[in-house]
Amino acid sequence: MQQPIRIAPSILSADFASLGEEVRAIGAAGAEYVHIDVMDGHFVPNLTIGPGVVKALRKHSDKVFDVHLMIAPVDPFIEAFAQAGADIITVHVEATPHVHRTIQLIRSLGKKPGISLNPSTPASAVEYLLDDVDLVLVMSVNPGFGGQTFIESQLAKVAELRRRIDATGRRIDLEIDGGINFETAPRAIAAGADVLVAGTATFTGGPTAYGSNIRRLRGSA
Ligand code: DX5
Ligand code: ZN
């Protein structure tokens, strides 16, 4: 069942020189999740945030830390992100041949496992993982950078995953990430997404705009 819409600002678009304040500001502005994009320059062509930054941010927020790992190998770093204070740890189905093992590792550390799919990966790739994850993340851009254009074909994938998730009867977040703005957000929600990642759309206009940006994304403005 589609759950209430939650907004997950991607701090990739925040002011990196004031990350603590930025994380507090989006929480005060109504965001439920803090989406943290971790990139390694190998699985994706960019470098971003490590566990040390996650740990430093943890004291600035009691929101759900939604850590999106775009790294390979991934297993050697799971424990560090768990200890740093991640709540949800999402890994890519494309990042390791043994993703089921990775999900078990995340669970064994007391964290919620998520699984992410690149735009070219079919929904069926997660068929044998749905009993074990708490979140499915559909990438609606090729991972690596904020500010890219939404890939329309991913709406059909969201709709198919909505059906597959509902068939399990389990409560699994269906999250969409990339190019989410005031125009694409309502269509992603209509397709069945219930967690919206938004970097550019949240942070545009600076702190005084965060509240209205988040309300508009949620469809309650
Ligand atoms: C892309 C990241 C996204 C990205 C979203 O690799 O996973 O979270 O920062 O940025 P926007 O919302 O600007 O497309
Ligand atoms: Zn992300």
Side-chain angles (χ1 to χ4, degrees):
M1 210 182 62
Q2 195 168 11
Q3 301 169 70
I5 305 304
R6 280 135 307 144
I7 304 299
S10 163
I11 61 168
L12 204 52
S13 300
D15 176 359
F16 270 31
S18 326
L19 272 187
E21 267 167 59
E22 291 278 66
V23 161
R24 281 201 301 274
I26 55 174
E32 289 86 354
Y33 287 12
V34 177
H35 186 83
I36 301 171
D37 285 308
V38 177
M39 306 186 186
D40 67 350
H42 171 71
F43 182 69
V44 292
N46 197 2
L47 283 170
T48 56
I49 288 168
V53 175
V54 176
K55 187 175 178 197
L57 290 176
R58 192 63 279 189
K59 31 185 188 301
H60 293 272
S61 177
D62 57 5
K63 303 298 174 188
V64 174
F65 272 21
D66 170 29
V67 175
H68 177 193
L69 297 182
M70 289 160 274
I71 63 176
V74 60
D75 288 2
F77 298 98
I78 297 290
E79 195 171 346
F81 283 101
Q83 282 176 0
D87 296 299
I88 303 167
I89 300 178
T90 296
V91 298
H92 271 260
V93 70
E94 306 88 2
T96 162
H98 304 295
V99 73
H100 187 273
R101 175 184 291 150
T102 308
I103 286 165
Q104 287 176 308
L105 172 61
I106 296 167
R107 186 75 76 192
S108 76
L109 294 166
K111 305 300 180 179
K112 293 184 168 183
I115 188 74
S116 181
L117 304 86
N118 280 335
S120 63
T121 302
S124 59
V126 301
E127 180 173 356
Y128 296 103
L129 299 173
L130 287 182
D131 288 338
D132 301 294
V133 295
D134 293 319
L135 179 146
V136 176
L137 170 53
V138 174
M139 287 308 303
S140 42
V141 297
N142 286 293
F145 305 94
Q148 301 183 78
T149 303
F150 187 78
I151 301 173
E152 292 288 331
S153 59
Q154 301 308 300
L155 286 173
K157 192 191 291 180
V158 169
E160 183 178 347
L161 285 164
R162 177 82 270 151
R163 288 191 290 276
R164 287 175 182 263
I165 286 171
D166 289 353
T168 68
R170 297 187 63 240
R171 191 154 80 184
I172 301 172
D173 288 353
L174 181 49
E175 182 174 55
I176 186 163
D177 182 4
I180 293 295
N181 54 39
F182 304 138
E183 189 269 322
T184 53
R187 295 195 290 134
I189 294 168
D194 51 20
V195 183
L196 307 181
V197 177
T200 307
T202 301
F203 287 97
T204 295
T208 56
Y210 297 167
S212 60
N213 289 345
I214 288 169
R215 280 192 299 278
R216 274 185 82 184
L217 286 164
R218 207 193 297 284
S220 62

